[in-house]
């Protein structure tokens, strides 16, 4: 499996991302600000459009009214003069001159268009215009509107282009209004274009825009402050509950939340405190019950040793004299001896469990070659294996496997694993021997015991270490175990700071792995041997990733999913 390495992020960005993930208050404030910014932007854009349209429409109404009044005044003035009094050029000059002067005084430009009947347009009358005003300021679509005679007044938006004294040009938005006037001297219609700049409207719109932006910024700050205050009122009790819950989880069962007010959060705090009190009471009851149970087991185990010794002495006498008895009585003496052995083993195991429960178990470590330990255990279990018709072999490791261990406890672990493998192996199966492997690296040493017997069903790889648990209670055990062997083995592994794990599949056998630190007290990171057997095809996919346990040596027992 290919793993992608994490992308290296700057420290500041990594801290910001961590704060973002962990702070619900920051996420609520930022989300509210973003939504508020979107809403304010949409509303502000709509208001600006409405204000802009209102200003332009009002300006257009004003300038059109002003143009119609100016044109009407000049029409009346021209109609009062006789057409033969002056020639057309003089009369045209008398028409446009006052209009241009009025435009200069009021801030708008004027362009006189030629007679429409002669099809000269602005080319003929364009010379009569406000100084510096370019003819391109008149839109073509407005000129096309006045192609004929006696057309109504019309207007449109345009860009007013002016030539400055230094020869450069400047452009500004404006409104172009056109109207036609009949010149009595020649009977032709002339078009007068009035060009009104929108400078005041631009300034007004800019002022409104700045005001809206300022108001939006202040509104966002206000929304952020309100959101932060509101979320703080909700998040602060939640954070207090989290801290109290963490202390409760750490064992500080007397911790409680401070209750203020009568709102929902106060009722939640009250319910939390009631829950904590009930948990504290139940935990104390369980601790007392557990202490009573451990004390009972310890007392019973010790008290039974005295009568067991007496019964053992009587049983030994009967067992030694069994040849003088009839067959039934002799068989009864043999069964009594076997059950006394099993009972004595059970008492020893119960005493050992009570030491673990009381925390009185200690290690007596020494640097030991695990290969020698494995050979001693296998040699001792060979009669049982021969009785079952199975073989137990120890593979030679590639390098010496040494570790600082309590030899007695590690021998007990291996003895339990080997005898369990013999008990659960298929009888007379010489083609699939029980294999004991071991390996070591710089930090850890590991031993695996592999059998090809009945195996473990899904979920049983963790239950197999429970006290008195058996996968099939109906099956007879060749070794006569008590049901506490693997539980004691697990405690022995934890006492070393190591792991004891199981893998299994129904009908394909099982493998147990013991991993121990090379040096006493050294933390474990991974095991030198895989948990799944090397003869399994699913090795790479099946084995779980090994991570250090939450407590030293407390790696949870787990199997490989099938």
């Amino acid at each position: 499996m290919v793993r992608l390495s994490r992308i290296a992020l700057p420290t500041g960005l990594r801290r910001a991302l961590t704060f973002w993930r962990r702070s619900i208050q920051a996420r609520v404030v930022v989300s509210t600000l973003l939504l508020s910014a979107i809403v304010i932007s949409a509303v502000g854009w709509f208001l600006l459009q409405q204000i802009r349209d209102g200003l332009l429409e009002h300006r257009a109404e004003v300038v059109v009214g002003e143009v119609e009044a100016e044109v009407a005044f000049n029409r009346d003035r021209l109609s009062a003069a006789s057409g033969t009094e002056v020639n057309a050029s003089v009369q045209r000059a008398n028409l446009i001159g006052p209009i241009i002067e009025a435009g200069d005084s009021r801030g708008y430009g004027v362009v006189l268009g030629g007679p429409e009947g002669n099809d000269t347009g602005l080319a003929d009358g364009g010379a009569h215009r406000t100084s510096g005003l370019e003819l391109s300021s008149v839109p073509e679509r407005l000129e096309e509107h006045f192609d004929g005679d006696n057309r109504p007044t019309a207007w449109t938006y345009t860009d007013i282009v002016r030539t400055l004294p230094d020869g450069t040009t400047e452009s500004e938005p404006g409104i172009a209004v056109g109207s036609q006037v009949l010149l009595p001297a020649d009977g032709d219609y002339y078009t007068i274009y009035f060009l009104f700049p929108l400078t005041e409207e631009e300034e007004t719109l800019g002022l409104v825009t700045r005001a809206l932006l300022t108001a939006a910024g202040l509104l966002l700050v206000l929304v952020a402050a309100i959101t932060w205050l509101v979320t703080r009122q909700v998040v602060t009790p939640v954070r207090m509950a989290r801290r109290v819950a963490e202390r409760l989880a750490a064992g500080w069962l007397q911790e409680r939340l401070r209750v203020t007010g009568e709102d929902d959060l106060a009722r939640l705090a009250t319910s939390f405190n009631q829950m904590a009190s009930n948990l504290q009471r139940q935990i104390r009851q369980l601790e007392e019950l557990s202490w009573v149970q451990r004390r009972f087991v310890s007392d019973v185990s010790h008290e039974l040793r005295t009568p067991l010794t007496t019964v053992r002495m009587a049983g030994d006498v009967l067992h030694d004299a069994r040849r003088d008895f009839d067959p039934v009585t002799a068989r009864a003496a043999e069964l009594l001896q076997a059950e006394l052995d099993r009972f004595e083993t059970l008492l020893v195991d119960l005493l050992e469990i009570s030491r673990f429960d009381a925390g009185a178990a200690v290690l007596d470590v020494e640097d030991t070659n695990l290969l020698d330990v494995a050979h001693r255990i296998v040699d001792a279990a060979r009669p049982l294996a021969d009785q079952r018709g199975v073989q137990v072999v120890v593979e030679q490791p590639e390098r010496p496997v040494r570790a600082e261990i309590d030899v007695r406890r590690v021998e007990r672990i291996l003895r339990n694993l080997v005898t369990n493998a013999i008990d659960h192996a298929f009888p007379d199966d010489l083609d699939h021997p029980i294999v004991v492997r071991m390996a070591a690296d710089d930090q850890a040493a590991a031993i695996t015991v592999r059998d090809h017997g009945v195996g473990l069903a899904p979920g049983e790889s963790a239950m197999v270490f429970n006290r008195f648990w058996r996968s099939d209670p109906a099956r007879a055990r060749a070794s006569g175990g008590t049901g506490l062997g693997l539980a004691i083995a697990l405690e022995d592994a934890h006492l070393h700071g190591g792991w004891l794990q199981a893998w299994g599949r129904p009908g394909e056998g099982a493998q147990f792995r013991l991993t121990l630190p090379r040096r006493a007290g050294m933390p474990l990171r991974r095991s030198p041997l895989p948990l799944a057997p090397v003869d399994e095809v699913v090795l790479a996919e099946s084995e779980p990733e090994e991570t250090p346990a939450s407590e030293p040596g407390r790696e949870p027992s787990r199997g490989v999913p099938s």
Side-chain angles (χ1 to χ4, degrees):
M1 181 183 297
V2 179
R3 296 183 180 178
L4 298 178
S5 59
R6 292 185 177 180
I7 300 175
L9 297 177
T11 303
L13 180 58
R14 187 166 59 252
R15 291 179 179 176
L17 292 176
T18 302
F19 177 75
W20 173 261
R21 290 195 307 268
R22 295 181 178 178
S23 176
I24 188 174
Q25 185 175 11
R27 293 199 300 271
V28 171
V29 172
V30 172
S31 301
T32 304
L33 281 179
L34 290 177
L35 293 176
S36 300
I38 293 173
V39 173
I40 291 174
S41 299
V43 173
W45 178 84
F46 176 77
L47 290 178
L48 282 177
Q49 294 298 316
Q50 294 296 314
I51 294 173
R52 175 179 175 276
D53 294 342
L55 288 174
L56 293 178
E57 289 177 2
H58 176 72
R59 180 59 174 167
E61 291 177 0
V62 171
V63 299
V64 168
E66 185 175 347
V67 167
E68 289 180 346
E70 182 70 20
V71 171
F73 171 76
N74 283 279
R75 283 176 181 168
D76 293 340
R77 183 168 59 83
L78 291 175
S79 63
S82 174
T84 58
E85 291 179 354
V86 292
N87 58 31
S89 60
V90 174
Q91 198 174 57
R92 187 166 59 243
N94 292 335
L95 168 66
I96 195 63
I99 296 178
I100 292 176
E101 293 178 359
D104 291 338
S105 62
R106 298 175 186 174
Y108 58 83
V110 180
V111 178
L112 177 64
E116 299 302 331
N118 297 333
D119 196 22
T120 56
L122 292 180
D124 179 67
H128 299 278
R129 64 179 184 271
T130 302
S131 177
L133 187 64
E134 296 292 332
L135 297 180
S136 59
S137 302
V138 180
E140 293 182 0
R141 60 180 179 276
L142 188 60
E143 289 187 62
E144 294 173 356
H145 174 75
F146 293 102
D147 283 345
D149 293 336
N150 199 21
R151 295 297 178 88
T153 302
W155 68 276
T156 186
Y157 295 111
T158 186
D159 289 327
I160 302 175
V161 181
R162 300 179 185 274
T163 302
L164 301 179
D166 58 0
T168 60
T169 59
E170 66 175 3
S171 177
E172 60 179 337
I175 297 177
V177 183
S179 185
Q180 288 186 333
V181 177
L182 177 63
L183 196 66
D186 54 9
D188 291 328
Y189 282 92
Y190 289 83
T191 304
I192 306 176
Y193 300 97
F194 300 82
L195 302 171
F196 295 87
L198 296 175
T199 305
E200 294 182 0
E201 286 70 20
E202 278 191 326
E203 294 176 354
T204 302
L205 190 61
L207 178 62
V208 172
T209 302
R210 290 191 295 272
L212 287 177
L213 289 176
T214 303
L218 295 176
L219 184 59
L220 285 177
V221 173
L222 181 61
V223 168
I226 294 175
T227 305
W228 180 83
L229 180 62
V230 172
T231 54
R232 180 179 176 82
Q233 294 178 353
V234 177
V235 171
T236 299
V238 175
R239 289 176 177 172
M240 293 177 59
R242 175 184 59 81
R243 288 194 290 267
V244 172
E246 290 175 349
R247 292 174 183 172
L248 289 173
W252 297 83
L253 301 180
Q254 72 279 4
E255 290 291 330
R256 296 295 183 271
L257 285 174
R258 185 176 59 186
V259 180
T260 56
E262 299 179 356
D263 55 8
D264 293 334
L265 292 175
R267 292 198 295 271
L268 176 62
T270 302
S271 301
F272 184 91
N273 290 338
Q274 293 175 354
M275 178 191 68
S277 299
N278 293 334
L279 287 176
Q280 183 181 16
R281 183 173 60 256
Q282 293 178 6
I283 290 174
R284 286 179 176 175
Q285 292 175 354
L286 291 175
E287 289 177 346
E288 293 175 358
L289 179 60
S290 177
W291 181 84
V292 170
Q293 289 177 341
R294 293 196 300 268
R295 184 63 181 270
F296 174 77
V297 171
S298 178
D299 292 346
V300 169
S301 301
H302 282 87
E303 292 298 328
L304 287 178
R305 293 186 68 87
T306 300
L308 178 61
T309 303
T310 303
V311 175
R312 162 67 71 182
M313 293 174 61
D316 290 341
V317 172
L318 294 175
H319 187 266
D320 293 338
R322 68 184 183 279
R323 293 185 179 87
D324 300 331
F325 300 151
D326 58 88
V328 175
T329 305
R331 179 57 180 166
E334 292 176 354
L335 292 176
L336 176 62
Q337 186 74 8
E339 291 305 316
L340 284 174
D341 292 339
R342 187 170 182 271
F343 190 26
E344 190 172 11
T345 302
L346 177 60
L347 281 181
V348 172
D349 289 344
L350 287 175
L351 285 173
E352 191 67 23
I353 284 290
S354 65
R355 292 191 189 96
F356 283 119
D357 292 339
V362 294
L363 288 177
D364 183 13
V365 298
E366 59 179 295
D367 190 24
T368 306
N369 188 347
L370 293 180
L371 181 61
D372 297 337
V373 177
H375 278 297
R376 288 198 299 269
I377 297 301
V378 170
D379 292 340
R382 185 160 285 114
L384 179 62
D386 293 339
Q387 180 183 352
R388 291 278 294 173
V390 297
Q391 290 183 347
V392 183
V393 297
V394 179
E395 285 192 357
Q396 185 71 23
E398 297 180 355
R399 54 179 290 186
V401 181
R402 305 188 65 88
E404 294 180 354
I405 61 172
D406 187 326
V407 178
R408 179 180 65 87
R409 296 183 183 277
V410 173
E411 284 183 348
R412 181 165 57 192
I413 296 174
L414 289 181
R415 185 182 305 112
N416 277 294
L417 298 183
V418 172
T419 54
N420 273 338
I422 295 173
D423 283 333
H424 292 86
F426 294 121
D428 302 321
D429 186 7
L430 298 179
D431 295 333
H432 297 92
I434 297 171
V435 181
V436 179
R437 295 184 179 90
M438 60 193 68
D441 56 21
D442 294 336
Q443 296 183 347
I447 302 176
T448 61
V449 179
R450 167 73 161 126
D451 68 77
H452 295 83
V454 296
L456 296 173
E460 292 183 352
S461 57
M463 298 172 59
V464 73
F465 297 102
N466 294 342
R467 299 177 184 182
F468 299 107
W469 183 88
R470 293 179 66 180
S471 60
D472 185 3
R475 292 184 69 252
R477 296 178 58 93
S479 61
T482 63
L484 294 173
L486 288 179
I488 295 175
L490 182 65
E491 294 294 339
D492 281 332
H494 289 169
L495 193 61
H496 282 82
W499 307 333
L500 182 58
Q501 300 161 286
W503 173 96
R505 284 187 174 180
E508 299 182 14
Q511 176 164 291
F512 287 78
R513 181 181 67 181
L514 172 65
T515 307
L516 301 171
R518 291 285 303 276
R519 298 288 180 269
M522 179 183 296
L524 289 180
R525 292 293 180 264
R526 59 180 299 110
S527 178
L529 290 175
L531 179 58
V534 295
D535 53 357
E536 286 293 321
V537 180
V538 293
L539 171 62
E541 294 82 7
S542 299
E543 184 177 7
E545 181 182 357
E546 295 165 10
T547 55
S550 56
E551 299 178 14
R554 291 285 174 177
E555 173 72 0
S557 302
R558 56 189 174 185
V560 177
S562 57

